[in-house]
Amino acid sequence: MENVDYKELKKGGFMRQIQKDHFSMRLKSVGGQLTVQQLKTIQKVAEQYGHGYIHLTSRQGVEIPFINVNNISQIKTQLAEGGVKVGACGPRVRTITACQGNSVCPSGLINTVEVAEGLEERYGGRELPHKFKFGVTGCCNNCLKAEENDLGIKGGIKPLWNSSKCTFCGLCGAICPGKAIEVGKIDKKLHFESDKCIYCGKCVKICPTSAWSGESGFIVSFGGLYGNRITIGRRLLPLIFSTEILYKTIDIALAFFEKNAKNGERFANTLDRVGWKLLEKELNKAL
C-alpha cells in the first residue's frame, strides 16, 4: 500500500510494529468488558489475519499483532460484523478501565461498569492536547489504581453511626484502616474522627447490627501520571454523590486541560506548570 498515513492509522488504533507494513491493532473495550460473541470475532481475526494470538494490554485492552496494512479495510468490516470496534490512540481520551464493581464484587461500593459506559458515551475518543486516561475502581481497595490515571474515580461511603443500634462490639474500630473509630467496650462509648475517614465503607460492611450506614459516592483524583515521570493523582474535592456532579467535575477538568495545556503536555504537567490551586478554585467555584 502506497502513501500510508501512519499518523491517521495510529489515531485509529493501529500501532506500528518493527516488521515492515505490519501493525498491532488495538481494539476497544469499555471497563474491561467483552461479550462471548466479540471474543469469537477477535479469535477469528487473529487466526485469519494475525499470528493466531492476541496481546492483553496493561489497560484492559486487546491487541492483535501482525496485521498487514493491506488487510486493514476487510478486517475492520469483519470486526464490525461481530460487534467489535477498533480502539483509539494518540491525543484523546483512551480506553476507560474499570474493575467489576458492586454488581459482582462484595467489596464494591459503586457500579463501575455503568460509570465506565457513561464515561465512554460522553467522553470516549474526545480530542485533547495529549492522551487522557480514566480509571474507575469500586472501592478503596483500589484494584484499578485510580490515582495512576489523569482522572481516577473510586467508590466511597460517607459513614453515619446510629448509637441506638450499636452493641459496641468493636469490629468497626478493629477494621478501620484510617484509625478513625475508637470503641470503648466497657464504658460503651464510640469516638469517630471524621477527618481521618477515607470513605472505605468497611465499618458499614462489617457491622452486625447495621449501626453504621451511609451513602455511596465517588472519590475523584486528578493528574495521575505513570511513565517516564510518576505523579500520584490528588483529591481536590470531597465525596461526590451524584453522576450529574461527577460529569460536571469532569467537564471542568477537561476544559481546564484544553485551555491551559501546551500541545503534547500531559494533564499532570499542565497542573504543575499552571498550578493545582487554579483547578481547585475553578472546581469549588462551579460546584
Side-chain angles (χ1 to χ4, degrees):
M1 181 181 290
E2 297 182 359
N3 300 320
V4 177
D5 189 338
Y6 292 105
K7 186 176 181 180
E8 194 64 25
L9 282 173
K10 183 177 181 180
K11 178 180 177 181
F14 290 87
M15 313 299 293
R16 219 171 156 182
Q17 295 184 196
I18 59 173
Q19 293 82 7
K20 185 179 179 181
D21 295 332
H22 284 80
F23 295 81
S24 189
M25 177 177 60
R26 186 169 295 172
L27 305 177
K28 175 172 284 189
S29 67
V30 179
Q33 301 283 328
L34 289 167
T35 67
V36 171
Q37 180 58 50
Q38 287 174 319
L39 289 172
K40 288 178 179 178
T41 301
I42 294 167
Q43 176 189 347
K44 289 179 181 178
V45 170
E47 289 174 342
Q48 185 175 351
Y49 296 102
H51 280 192
Y53 75 96
I54 62 155
H55 170 71
L56 298 176
T57 75
S58 60
R59 289 187 56 79
Q60 299 182 331
V62 176
E63 290 183 3
I64 304 177
F66 291 97
I67 297 299
N68 190 287
V69 67
N70 296 303
N71 295 326
I72 287 176
S73 180
Q74 56 263 45
I75 288 172
K76 283 185 174 180
T77 299
Q78 189 168 325
L79 288 171
E81 290 172 352
V84 180
K85 296 181 180 179
V86 179
C89 299
R92 56 193 49 82
V93 173
R94 298 292 191 86
T95 297
I96 295 166
T97 60
C99 69
Q100 297 202 70
N102 65 5
S103 61
V104 173
C105 178
S107 298
L109 302 175
I110 57 173
N111 190 325
T112 54
V113 175
E114 190 175 86
V115 172
E117 288 174 346
L119 295 177
E120 171 63 28
E121 183 178 349
R122 191 176 178 97
Y123 306 107
R126 176 170 168 173
E127 301 278 340
L128 291 167
H130 205 338
K131 60 184 167 184
F132 197 96
K133 298 176 180 179
F134 287 94
V136 187
T137 198
C139 68
C140 290
N141 290 338
N142 208 7
C143 295
L144 253 291
K145 303 177 181 64
E147 289 83 2
E148 290 185 2
N149 294 269
D150 295 279
L151 195 142
I153 299 169
K154 281 191 292 192
I157 284 183
K158 186 174 184 179
L160 296 171
W161 178 60
N162 185 336
S163 60
S164 66
K165 292 184 177 182
C166 186
T167 61
F168 301 92
C169 66
L171 287 174
C172 56
I175 202 172
C176 177
K179 305 302 179 184
I181 304 170
E182 290 185 11
V183 180
K185 296 181 182 180
I186 297 176
D187 59 9
K188 301 296 183 182
K189 290 184 179 180
L190 183 145
H191 181 59
F192 174 52
E193 295 184 70
S194 59
D195 59 329
K196 291 184 179 180
C197 179
I198 64 170
Y199 308 123
C200 68
K202 291 184 183 294
C203 55
V204 177
K205 296 275 188 180
I206 203 170
C207 184
T209 63
S210 298
W212 287 101
S213 62
E215 182 182 359
S216 293
F218 307 106
I219 303 169
V220 180
S221 60
F222 303 86
L225 175 63
Y226 263 65
N228 293 312
R229 178 190 162 203
I230 295 175
T231 299
I232 303 299
R234 303 183 194 179
R235 281 189 59 195
L236 303 177
L237 295 170
L239 206 60
I240 293 171
F241 293 105
S242 75
T243 304
E244 180 183 356
I245 297 299
L246 176 64
Y247 287 156
K248 191 172 183 180
T249 298
I250 296 170
D251 289 342
I252 293 167
L254 294 182
F256 181 94
F257 187 36
E258 288 176 318
K259 177 183 177 181
N260 295 289
K262 295 179 179 179
N263 190 39
E265 183 177 61
R266 289 294 296 272
F267 190 36
N269 297 332
T270 302
L271 288 167
D272 283 343
R273 180 174 54 80
V274 176
W276 292 75
K277 287 290 185 182
L278 183 58
L279 174 61
E280 186 174 13
K281 182 179 178 181
E282 290 193 13
L283 288 166
N284 288 325
K285 181 180 178 182
L287 302 175

